[in-house]
Amino acid sequence: MLARKTLRLNSVQLKTIARSLSSVPSPFATLPEKQHATEQFKEYLTTTYINNSHLKSDSKEWFKVYDPATNKVITQVPQSTDAELDSAIQAAADAFELFKEVSIIKRLDLVFNYIEILKKNKEKLASLIVLEQGKAYSDAIADVIRGIQCAEHATTVVKETEGVSLEISNGIESKVIREPIGVTGSIMPFNFPVMIMLWTIPYIIATGNTTVIKPSELCPGSGALLAELAAEAGVPKGVINIVHGKHATVEKLSTDPRISAVTFVGGNNAGKAVYANATKHHKRVKVNLGAKNHVVVLPDVEKDVLLKGIVSGAFSSTGQVCLSTDVLFLVKEANRFIPDIIERVKALKVRPGFEDGDFGPVVTKESLQRLHDIIEDAEAKGAEILVDGRNPEVPGGYENGYFIGATLLKGIRPGMRAYDEELFGPIFGIVEVETLDHTIDIINKNPFGNSVAIFTRDGVAANKFVKKINIGQVGINSSIPIGIAQHGFTSNKASFLGDLHFYGPSAFKFFTQPKTVITSWRGYSEN
Ligand code: NAD
């Protein structure tokens, strides 16, 4: 049994919430687990979450959310009203005044409670991810586990935020302490609905801040569920608040004077706009953006290592990962592995997320159409389709789902969408090249800097690659070189805007600000 810590912050009232909003039961109490939306599926309510209460929005504007495996509506997301956005921010602002005073030991205790509750609810969270986002259940479990690892890292808060002090002269001391930054606003993408929220929530709790989070409108549920679980862990009212919507919500979170810092993870257009807007409004901002990720294969590669790397790099989470492999450069005789790659890719099965398969559908009908367009564009411009995943048969009531099988292109080049754009689906293209140096040059000229990998047994070549490549996360025989929770997500170039990265030690710096205290006791006589 968890010892619940009810902190005495309950004086924060619901008075700021638009009057007509009343608390509703948690939609997650009755939501069936591990089931796709079939004919009998009952739509559930996407709640707004303010002051530790699930609320039904007053909005007149609601967006439909579909189960990607069946194309059936599962819930609708409100465009939070102005009054609701205002209430959420005010609740966070009120709670901050109290929460910043809570001792670090108590906050640490809350994070430990939260970790335990997250672990207990791993399957529930993963189930919701699959239903709303579509990915394979095993990928959804990995999504949750990686998030929990960030929560575990957040327990290093004491070490990471401790101050420094120095006696600069007899009776004079200089001390620098780190204080919480205030209310933060966070804008989330669709592809890792739990992990990316946990890039912030546990750090918010650990550092004594409060937050208003906007989940992606494509998979909104995990926001309110993660907030509900935080409340269960004893996190006081107003610390974690969830609002919904599109542009109007993002605009409010980027500009409201009560918000001190903004985090965004998502695509380039929205991310760059958020960065410009929020910095203009004097907020601390960090923004993780899109990508174009390349993998280089040297001829001496171990075949099985390469094939395993390709499967996880291009197809895990249906290729909808900001570190997914888009382009595979085969240097010289590394092209002899093409038949093996074809065979391996052909063997992959796309299936509904709750069924046994290698990956699930893509997130929306529009994403599916975009991938078809990208393949057609490549074909029309002369690329070879080595494995064509279009229109796979997925029987059993999933005929209307957004499925595309593993797809392999060869001979993609600049001017083709497959070469130029981030793919974000279970597709990648092969390019045959002559030298490693030339390939490094091509990759360095690409504007993005999320991820790159080299596959080889040659340590000297790998070392040279690491030194010369200008990308923030580099894999050696590892195709998804995501920074671990303890180190942070170190993307660069056009994949990141800001100075302090997501999770890892930078997160503590981002959510706190230094204060210098110079103390002098000179001139006071002893008595
Ligand atoms: P997206 O940019 O479409 O949406 C992200 C968020 O921005 C959502 O909450 C959305 O509502 C909001 N948004 C979208 N358009 C907006 C607009 N015009 N104005 C204001 N807000 C807007 O991204 P997505 O499709 O959810 O996610 C996929 C993208 O995110 C990919 O490019 C991927 O590489 C990137 N991503 C990057 C990382 C990373 O860590 N670098 C991680 C995950 C995803």
Side-chain angles (χ1 to χ4, degrees):
M1 271 293 277
L2 283 172
R4 302 254 183 89
K5 304 278 170 199
T6 310
L7 293 174
R8 300 256 161 251
L9 296 196
N10 295 347
S11 58
V12 178
Q13 296 299 312
L14 286 163
K15 64 178 185 287
T16 52
I17 296 178
R19 229 181 296 280
S20 58
L21 289 188
S22 55
S23 166
V24 293
S26 167
F28 309 112
T30 49
L31 189 63
E33 281 185 35
K34 296 192 192 171
Q35 275 181 36
H36 280 294
T38 54
E39 284 313 312
Q40 291 76 40
F41 189 89
K42 214 165 153 285
E43 272 186 46
Y44 54 95
L45 179 69
T46 290
T47 54
T48 301
Y49 196 85
I50 303 175
N51 274 338
N52 285 0
S53 285
H54 287 282
L55 305 163
K56 181 170 182 203
S57 170
D58 264 347
S59 182
K60 304 232 171 331
E61 197 182 4
W62 293 74
F63 314 109
K64 291 184 171 134
V65 180
Y66 300 85
D67 176 349
T70 62
N71 188 37
K72 185 161 184 336
V73 176
I74 48 178
T75 185
Q76 302 199 36
V77 190
Q79 170 55 58
S80 294
T81 64
D82 290 350
E84 289 158 12
L85 294 174
D86 191 59
S87 293
I89 296 170
Q90 192 55 45
D94 290 345
F96 177 65
E97 291 308 315
L98 300 165
F99 195 49
K100 69 181 181 189
E101 304 295 341
V102 169
S103 77
I104 197 163
I105 302 302
K106 282 196 179 130
R107 283 189 261 123
L108 196 50
D109 204 27
L110 293 175
V111 179
F112 276 113
N113 283 352
Y114 194 37
I115 292 167
E116 200 172 332
I117 288 172
L118 288 170
K119 285 183 176 169
K120 255 182 29 190
N121 286 276
K122 198 167 63 184
E123 284 83 12
K124 191 175 194 169
L125 287 159
S127 182
L128 187 61
I129 294 174
V130 176
L131 181 64
E132 294 188 346
Q133 201 265 5
K135 66 174 74 173
Y137 186 71
S138 55
D139 285 331
I141 288 284
D143 187 329
V144 179
I145 288 173
R146 288 208 70 103
I148 293 173
Q149 287 166 358
C150 288
E152 287 168 343
H153 178 249
T155 62
T156 62
V157 60
V158 175
K159 179 78 195 138
E160 292 287 353
T161 58
E162 70 188 357
V164 288
S165 73
L166 183 71
E167 186 179 60
I168 48 178
S169 165
N170 190 15
I172 302 183
E173 181 200 51
S174 172
K175 183 165 75 169
V176 181
I177 54 174
R178 296 200 76 86
E179 296 186 324
I181 190 155
V183 180
T184 69
S186 283
I187 299 133
M188 299 290 165
F190 80 84
N191 61 332
F192 280 84
V194 169
M195 177 185 83
I196 294 179
M197 295 228 192
L198 294 177
W199 286 3
T200 60
I201 294 174
Y203 295 101
I204 293 282
I205 300 168
T207 51
N209 289 290
T210 62
T211 188
V212 180
I213 299 174
K214 186 201 91 66
S216 165
E217 66 277 18
L218 302 180
C219 29
S222 48
L225 179 51
L226 286 168
E228 176 188 301
L229 297 177
E232 196 182 325
V235 174
K237 289 179 178 179
V239 173
I240 313 290
N241 305 279
I242 306 293
V243 294
H244 295 287
K246 295 187 181 177
H247 188 267
T249 309
V250 175
E251 172 71 16
K252 181 74 175 166
L253 295 182
S254 307
T255 57
D256 191 282
R258 290 165 290 184
I259 289 181
S260 307
V262 174
T263 79
F264 173 97
V265 181
N268 303 320
N269 293 341
K272 282 198 248 177
V274 166
Y275 187 79
N277 205 9
T279 48
K280 196 171 89 190
H281 286 81
H282 310 294
K283 304 188 190 316
R284 181 177 286 177
V285 193
K286 61 178 170 183
V287 162
N288 262 12
L289 298 157
K292 186 73 185 172
N293 307 312
H294 305 89
V295 168
V296 185
V297 184
L298 299 189
D300 65 358
V301 69
E302 178 68 38
K303 185 178 82 182
D304 289 342
V305 174
L306 172 65
L307 297 181
K308 205 165 158 235
I310 286 173
V311 171
S312 75
F315 303 109
S316 65
S317 289
T318 319
Q320 296 175 128
V321 185
C322 60
L323 305 159
S324 289
T325 309
D326 279 358
V327 180
L328 194 71
F329 286 110
L330 298 177
V331 179
K332 283 194 170 163
E333 301 83 44
N335 63 5
R336 72 184 184 284
F337 294 113
I338 290 176
D340 298 296
I341 297 171
I342 293 174
E343 195 187 334
R344 187 71 191 89
V345 171
K346 271 188 178 160
L348 294 169
K349 281 200 303 255
V350 57
R351 296 290 298 148
F354 291 128
E355 299 207 357
D356 205 15
D358 292 294
F359 57 88
V362 293
V363 68
T364 59
K365 208 181 263 186
E366 292 71 29
S367 303
L368 181 64
Q369 185 56 52
R370 178 179 167 271
L371 294 172
H372 279 243
D373 292 348
I374 285 172
I375 297 168
E376 273 164 35
D377 172 76
E379 196 174 19
K381 290 173 182 163
E384 220 181 309
I385 304 186
L386 298 180
V387 182
D388 190 348
R390 286 173 290 183
N391 307 311
E393 277 187 24
V394 187
Y398 301 105
E399 293 75 10
N400 296 322
Y402 317 140
F403 294 99
I404 179 166
T407 298
L408 176 57
L409 309 171
K410 186 177 151 217
I412 58 168
R413 54 180 165 71
M416 293 181 187
R417 293 182 66 187
Y419 188 93
D420 295 335
E421 291 180 24
E422 181 178 24
L423 297 177
F424 236 56
I427 305 179
F428 73 98
I430 285 177
V431 177
E432 292 168 87
V433 288
E434 281 304 311
T435 67
L436 176 60
D437 285 338
H438 178 55
T439 314
I440 290 173
D441 195 42
I442 295 171
I443 296 169
N444 282 344
K445 284 190 176 131
N446 189 280
F448 293 104
N450 239 20
S451 157
V452 71
I454 187 167
F455 278 75
T456 179
R457 67 176 74 230
D458 181 345
V460 175
N463 199 35
K464 168 176 145 180
F465 185 76
V466 171
K467 290 276 178 216
K468 290 198 158 185
I469 207 77
N470 183 11
I471 303 285
Q473 295 174 114
V474 185
I476 298 170
N477 299 311
S478 169
S479 49
I480 304 263
I482 184 170
I484 61 170
Q486 290 73 12
H487 291 170
F489 192 101
T490 56
S491 51
N492 65 12
K493 299 202 283 185
S495 295
F496 177 69
L497 289 170
D499 300 305
L500 297 165
H501 287 93
F502 280 84
Y503 64 91
S506 294
F508 294 105
K509 294 229 157 41
F510 185 86
F511 291 119
T512 58
Q513 53 191 342
K515 180 184 272 177
T516 299
V517 183
I518 303 287
T519 307
S520 170
W521 297 111
R522 282 190 183 173
Y524 286 87
S525 56
E526 286 177 30
N527 50 26

